[in-house]
Amino acid sequence: MSWQTYVDDHLMCEIDGQRLTAAAILGHDGSVWAQSESFPQVKPEEISGIMNDFAEPGSLAPTGLYLGNTKYMVIQGEAGAVIRGKKGSGGVTIKKTNMALIIGIYDEPMTPGQCNMIIERLGDYLVDQGF
């Protein structure tokens, strides 16, 4: 299965009539493995900030999480595994696997919990598969 299929069929799928605004699977170095058409262009320094927060949880909290020039307020996550951000009525969930970052961006009416479920379920599956 191609990485694009994971994005199209597992991340951009409908859940309770809702779907993510954008999603991507990136390597730890920021290389794009697959992404939805609507996923923003991310900068290398944004990815290094995210990777640094996984290594040192809480490091993004003072400055915020940036993704495609959009700033998110960092909210509770799981140290070293999941970063969650909020901006207005939407937000972002980032799950770190052994080799990749699974990223989902959402807006209302999707809830943070729905986004978390989609991103973390695929992330946990990929971890189990060795990715």
Side-chain angles (χ1 to χ4, degrees):
M1 188 180 320
S2 79
W3 290 112
Q4 191 62 49
T5 305
Y6 281 106
V7 170
D8 297 341
D9 296 351
H10 299 283
L11 298 180
M12 296 302 290
C13 62
E14 258 190 37
I15 296 227
D16 300 330
Q18 308 304 325
R19 66 169 21 132
L20 294 171
T21 311
I25 302 174
L26 307 179
H28 287 178
D29 60 358
S31 59
V32 176
W33 292 10
Q35 66 183 20
S36 64
E37 280 183 33
S38 52
F39 195 77
Q41 181 70 44
V42 294
K43 297 179 177 169
E45 59 269 22
E46 294 172 338
I47 298 301
S48 37
I50 290 166
M51 290 304 294
N52 189 46
D53 194 80
F54 281 120
E56 300 170 33
S59 65
L60 280 178
T63 59
L65 159 67
Y66 284 86
L67 201 60
N69 283 334
T70 300
K71 181 179 180 179
Y72 296 89
M73 180 179 68
V74 178
I75 54 177
Q76 98 295 346
E78 293 167 35
V82 178
I83 298 171
R84 297 186 183 105
K86 186 95 177 104
K87 177 181 172 49
S89 61
V92 62
T93 300
I94 305 170
K95 168 79 176 178
K96 179 178 179 261
T97 71
N98 301 331
M99 300 164 67
L101 298 173
I102 316 300
I103 304 173
I105 299 172
Y106 68 93
D107 256 315
E108 279 187 338
M110 179 173 260
T111 66
Q114 288 170 318
C115 178
N116 295 342
M117 186 174 65
I118 292 168
I119 297 305
E120 294 175 40
R121 187 174 55 195
L122 180 62
D124 291 341
Y125 170 78
L126 292 176
V127 167
D128 290 345
Q129 299 303 306
F131 290 104

